[in-house]
Amino acid sequence: MKLGQWLGFLALVISLYILWQIRQLLLLSFTAVVLAVAINQLVLRFQQSGIKRVWAVWLSLGIVITLLVGVFFLIVPPFIEQFRQLVALLPTGINQIQRGINWLEERILENYVPEIPDFNGLIEQLQPLATNLLQQAIAIFSTSVTAILEFLLVIVLTLMLLANPQPYRRVFIRFFPAFYRPRVEEILSRCAEGLGNWTIGALIEMVFIGVLSGVGLWILGVPLVLAHAVLAGLLNFIPNIGPTLSVVLPMAIGFLDAPWKAGAVLILYIVIQNIESYWLTPTVMAKQVALLPAVTLTAQIVFVTLFGALGLLMAIPLAVIAKTWIEEVLFKDILDKWRQVPSSEYY
């Protein structure tokens, strides 16, 4: 290669290295873009009603903040009270477990397995783990402070993008060659449309899961029905993993009320998730964002490996954006226009 080509290749390598080093910052910026696009759907609705954009933005932010505060006070205080009850009943549960272990030792496992350590022995074995947890307290505090700062950064960026998105859009487009900028403008519009459709589809699924969970838990008589239903709907935002997490608290609280309710809650959530997976998702998401289940799972694994917990939350929006760019650039602009060489040219 010529010197200019070598310099171009070196510049590309350096650019990729810099992007890799700031990947967490880029993901935070993308999170702000996703939030801005989601809230902008509501802003556009208000603008269509004749409200100026400035007031539409403030009105949309007020609605979102009100909903978030309402969800917080709906979920957190009841769960704190239930957690206190769990802690209060913990000694009783430990005694029951110890009696069960003693019964197994005396009646069934006495001649077949080594002696099971008693509860005091288990406590002694767990002491090194407790010491290790204390040593990690500073690291946890540092991580919490970092998470708060990142959250504030996302909020600030979201507000800036909502207030005036066009300058940031133009700056991004200028990174591309002049002849391709109109095409980039079109692709960005398709990306925004894809994120908007995904947001609507995700909201439909969250409401559906929340309503079904609430009705089922109400029939079973599990306490805190509304809080569990809202939590199930919110956690459904994380495909595959969120539904698994959402069943833990209602099972634990159902067990406090009556042991059989824990199994009933588990069966209820399995039925709801099967309905969501085999009927709702193909019906709703196929019209909003056509992502194959294998692509969704692969995206979660890849992005959680690269970016951690935030990558898991943003896996589906990232997959939507990647799908749009691949379809528009790789398929339509390159592969679909690839000139087919006549067979006579090979001879």
Side-chain angles (χ1 to χ4, degrees):
M1 291 191 297
K2 297 181 181 180
L3 178 61
Q5 292 174 325
W6 277 109
L7 291 176
F9 177 75
L10 180 61
L12 176 62
V13 172
I14 294 174
S15 300
L16 292 176
Y17 175 77
I18 294 174
L19 290 176
W20 175 255
Q21 293 299 320
I22 63 172
R23 63 187 184 278
Q24 198 67 24
L25 179 60
L26 293 176
L27 182 61
L28 292 174
S29 302
F30 178 77
T31 304
V33 171
V34 172
L35 290 176
V37 170
I39 300 175
N40 195 55
Q41 300 296 312
L42 188 58
V43 173
L44 293 176
R45 299 283 183 182
F46 286 127
Q47 284 187 281
Q48 291 174 358
S49 302
I51 301 176
K52 293 183 178 180
R53 181 171 179 84
V54 176
W55 296 109
V57 169
W58 283 110
L59 185 58
S60 301
L61 289 175
I63 293 175
V64 171
I65 293 173
T66 302
L67 289 175
L68 291 177
V69 172
V71 168
F72 177 83
F73 284 104
L74 180 66
I75 293 178
V76 176
F79 281 151
I80 291 177
E81 181 61 29
Q82 291 295 322
F83 182 75
R84 290 175 180 173
Q85 294 183 21
L86 286 173
V87 172
L89 293 175
L90 187 60
T92 303
I94 292 176
N95 291 332
Q96 292 178 352
I97 293 173
Q98 183 62 44
R99 286 198 296 268
I101 292 176
N102 294 335
W103 184 84
L104 289 175
E105 287 180 333
E106 295 173 359
R107 302 293 180 86
I108 299 177
L109 304 178
E110 190 175 23
N111 300 322
Y112 298 98
V113 299
E115 182 180 357
I116 300 177
D118 57 11
F119 184 71
N120 293 329
L122 293 175
I123 293 297
E124 292 178 358
Q125 296 177 10
L126 292 175
Q127 284 179 350
L129 294 177
T131 303
N132 187 43
L133 289 176
L134 291 176
Q135 293 174 351
Q136 297 297 324
I138 296 179
I140 294 174
F141 175 77
S142 176
T143 303
S144 301
V145 172
T146 303
I148 293 173
L149 293 176
E150 291 179 348
F151 175 76
L152 293 176
L153 175 62
V154 169
I155 296 300
V156 171
L157 290 176
T158 302
L159 294 176
M160 294 171 66
L161 291 171
L162 267 178
N164 193 9
Q166 292 304 319
Y168 303 98
R169 185 183 182 116
R170 288 195 293 266
V171 168
F172 179 79
I173 293 174
R174 288 181 66 86
F175 281 98
F176 293 85
F179 73 91
Y180 201 67
R181 287 171 187 169
R183 180 64 175 141
V184 173
E185 177 79 24
E186 181 183 350
I187 295 174
L188 288 180
S189 299
R190 292 186 179 276
C191 288
E193 181 183 355
L195 285 176
N197 291 337
W198 168 79
T199 302
I200 295 173
L203 288 175
I204 293 173
E205 289 192 348
M206 290 166 65
V207 171
F208 179 85
I209 295 297
V211 170
L212 279 188
S213 301
V215 172
L217 294 174
W218 176 74
I219 294 174
L220 294 176
V222 177
L224 304 177
V225 171
L226 187 57
H228 289 307
V230 173
L231 187 63
L234 292 176
L235 288 177
N236 195 69
F237 178 81
I238 311 174
N240 304 316
I241 298 175
T244 304
L245 297 176
S246 66
V247 75
V248 175
L249 284 175
M251 282 185 64
I253 294 175
F255 184 80
L256 287 178
D257 193 35
W260 65 267
K261 289 185 180 180
V265 169
L266 179 60
I267 295 173
L268 170 68
Y269 274 60
I270 291 175
V271 171
I272 292 175
Q273 287 306 316
N274 275 277
I275 294 174
E276 188 262 346
S277 299
Y278 293 104
W279 176 73
L280 182 65
T281 297
T283 302
V284 174
M285 282 302 185
K287 297 179 181 178
Q288 304 296 331
V289 181
L291 284 178
L292 298 174
V295 174
T296 300
L297 182 59
T298 303
Q300 288 181 294
I301 295 173
V302 170
F303 292 124
V304 76
T305 303
L306 294 178
F307 303 110
L310 185 58
L312 178 63
L313 291 174
M314 291 292 104
I316 305 306
L318 283 168
V320 171
I321 296 298
K323 171 180 176 292
T324 303
W325 278 90
I326 290 173
E327 286 182 346
E328 297 297 324
V329 177
L330 180 61
F331 293 161
K332 293 184 179 180
D333 293 349
I334 298 177
L335 297 181
D336 289 351
K337 295 182 179 180
W338 200 303
R339 185 173 66 92
Q340 184 176 2
V341 180
S343 59
S344 58
E345 294 187 15
Y346 288 104
Y347 303 100

